[in-house]
Amino acid sequence: MTDSISNLPFPSAPQAKQWIQDIAPYVPGKAKSDDGRALIKLSANENPLGTSAKARAAFAEAEQDLARYPDPGASGLREALAAKYGLDPARIIYGTGSDELLHMAASAFAGPGDEILFMQYGFAVYEIATRRVGATPIEVPAKDYATDVDGLLAAVTERTKVVYVANPNNPTGTLASRAEIARLHAGLRPDILFVLDQAYAEYLEPQEEDGGLALAENAANVLVTRTFSKIYGLAAERIGWGYASADIIAMLHRIRAPFNVTTCGQAAAVAALGDDDFVDASRAHNAEWLGFLAQEMEALGNQGVRVVPSACNFLLVLFEGNVSAESVYNGLMQRGYIVRWLPGQGLGQGLRITIGTEEETRGVAAAIRDLVTGG
Ligand SMILES: *Cc1c(COP(=O)(O)O)cnc(C)c1O
């Protein structure tokens, strides 16, 4: 009976597009050890101070409206962002995390036959977003773990449609200066979309600011993305936002899911934006304990331990001596800490360690010292 079907010249099941099959699955930071124990999680760049109390209160209040769809225009959130940063609210887009915006940029502006550029050791989502739309990822070698503007510009071809740069970058923590970002933008053809991912912008000191929002304000080919997942401590709610020309924003809206940011998330984000004390405390905590961790790791320099200078809420530590990153990673897991080891991104020699509470940061530093000195 089924012979006539099975004889048809078709596969026996639906086949994903070849470019989807080519995607290496994203591996998120772990929260548990391989044997299932709960660990101190320093693997996902979350805020160790938690969430602003004002944001939690606004979140709870918004639960009254669970039966209703969220505001599809996120108008309160856009107004609050516009007021805080001096932006045009009509040119603000919002996403289910900034991840969604990064995907939308590739979807709207590239496809099969097009090339998308990003750095070696760049944020893992860029390659996935590129392959998802059938475009060709072009990875440009990093310069001592940092963004290489000359390398990016040299890699541009007539097929290039999008360039992604995280500044500062995850997982390396490195920051390109305002002058370098301006030079990169100036060297790109105006038809190439420059996506500047500023997930960690709120951790920067004023003099470190890279000028991204001003570029997006004035240029027709710049999309800046930001997130509420990092300093604002709202990672669970998945809220990102972006700023670009009216034309770019109009195209992104066409492919945005209609109700992509939740009601509670919008309310919490607005309240979080208004809580400068929480953000300032988070930035100060990070500066203090990032400095501490970097110093502790530098003190292990004679064991081949090296740090990559970080402007983020994490530190990339390189293990170039006798004790490998992999063995430190496993040793930390034994001692109750989970950090990020990224061999899949070509970083088998490094561990990315999120800055935790004082106790967590002191603890992980001491554990690493023990592991590399055999103590
Ligand atoms: C964390 C992160 C994001 C995305 O965060 P969302 O939670 O999706 O908003 C984007 N870019 C970089 C570089 C990040 O580290």
Side-chain angles (χ1 to χ4, degrees):
M1 290 280 264
T2 55
D3 274 359
S4 59
I5 291 175
S6 61
N7 287 338
L8 289 173
F10 291 112
S12 60
Q15 303 294 298
K17 291 290 186 192
Q18 187 58 49
W19 56 77
I20 301 296
Q21 296 186 36
D22 289 344
I23 293 175
Y26 180 79
V27 183
K30 293 184 191 179
K32 284 185 174 168
S33 69
D34 292 339
D35 56 14
R37 286 172 295 135
L39 300 171
I40 292 172
K41 187 183 179 197
L42 303 176
S43 61
N45 303 342
E46 295 149 338
N47 189 333
L49 305 188
T51 309
S52 148
K54 291 178 179 162
R56 299 176 74 93
F59 183 95
E61 173 72 25
E63 280 177 18
Q64 307 303 322
D65 289 327
L66 284 183
R68 306 254 177 229
Y69 278 105
D71 172 6
S75 50
L77 177 58
R78 286 187 298 107
E79 293 296 339
L81 287 164
K84 185 169 183 81
Y85 293 107
L87 305 174
D88 175 357
R91 290 169 55 188
I92 295 173
I93 184 109
Y94 36 91
T96 308
S98 52
D99 276 4
E100 186 190 18
L101 302 174
L102 299 169
H103 278 285
M104 282 169 21
S107 303
F109 293 95
D114 297 330
E115 292 175 351
I116 295 185
L117 305 185
F118 47 83
M119 294 303 305
Q120 177 189 23
Y121 315 131
F123 186 46
V125 167
Y126 307 153
E127 181 171 350
I128 298 172
T130 299
R131 292 190 186 277
R132 175 178 169 175
V133 301
T136 303
I138 306 290
E139 188 180 282
V140 173
K143 199 164 103 189
D144 203 17
Y145 296 95
T147 299
D148 180 5
V149 168
D150 293 310
L152 282 168
L153 291 175
V156 170
T157 72
E158 59 190 21
R159 294 168 181 250
T160 307
K161 290 286 161 60
V162 177
V163 176
Y164 288 110
V165 173
N167 201 43
N169 184 52
N170 172 18
T172 62
T174 54
L175 177 71
S177 70
R178 186 182 185 115
E180 284 290 274
I181 293 298
R183 189 164 75 82
L184 172 56
H185 176 252
L188 293 175
R189 286 195 319 268
D191 65 301
I192 298 173
L193 177 65
F194 177 24
V195 180
L196 186 58
D197 174 350
Q198 295 188 327
Y200 301 92
E202 298 85 1
Y203 286 100
L204 301 178
E205 301 299 331
Q207 71 277 7
E208 293 177 315
E209 215 266 302
D210 70 9
L213 286 176
L215 263 187
E217 180 69 44
N218 299 309
N221 66 335
V222 176
L223 169 66
V224 165
T225 62
R226 297 244 183 141
T227 182
F228 282 90
S229 300
K230 304 287 159 60
I231 211 166
Y232 291 109
L234 285 168
E237 272 308 289
R238 316 297 306 117
I239 310 163
W241 62 280
Y243 197 63
S245 73
D247 289 342
I248 291 172
I249 295 298
M251 290 303 128
L252 298 182
H253 273 301
R254 293 187 183 197
I255 54 171
R256 181 179 60 74
F259 301 99
N260 62 335
V261 181
T262 65
T263 300
C264 293
Q266 291 184 33
V270 169
L273 271 183
D275 192 348
D276 288 338
D277 289 346
F278 178 81
V279 173
D280 291 346
S282 298
R283 189 187 304 107
H285 172 90
N286 189 65
E288 178 175 1
W289 295 101
L290 174 65
F292 169 85
L293 185 63
Q295 209 168 31
E296 292 288 302
M297 296 299 102
E298 279 162 5
L300 301 171
N302 57 359
Q303 308 288 334
V305 177
R306 189 155 74 93
V307 305
V308 176
S310 173
C312 294
N313 65 343
F314 58 82
L315 185 68
L316 181 63
V317 182
L318 306 173
F319 295 85
E320 299 171 334
N322 291 330
V323 180
S324 70
E326 181 176 15
S327 65
V328 174
Y329 174 76
N330 288 322
L332 287 176
M333 188 131 43
Q334 283 301 317
R335 291 165 188 239
Y337 297 93
I338 181 75
V339 300
R340 201 77 183 273
W341 180 47
L342 292 161
Q345 276 186 257
L347 280 170
Q349 71 280 36
L351 296 179
R352 193 196 68 189
I353 304 169
T354 303
I355 303 306
T357 63
E358 170 176 352
E359 186 188 354
E360 291 165 348
T361 310
R362 286 188 185 280
V364 77
I368 293 171
R369 187 186 333 108
D370 276 3
L371 289 163
V372 301
T373 59

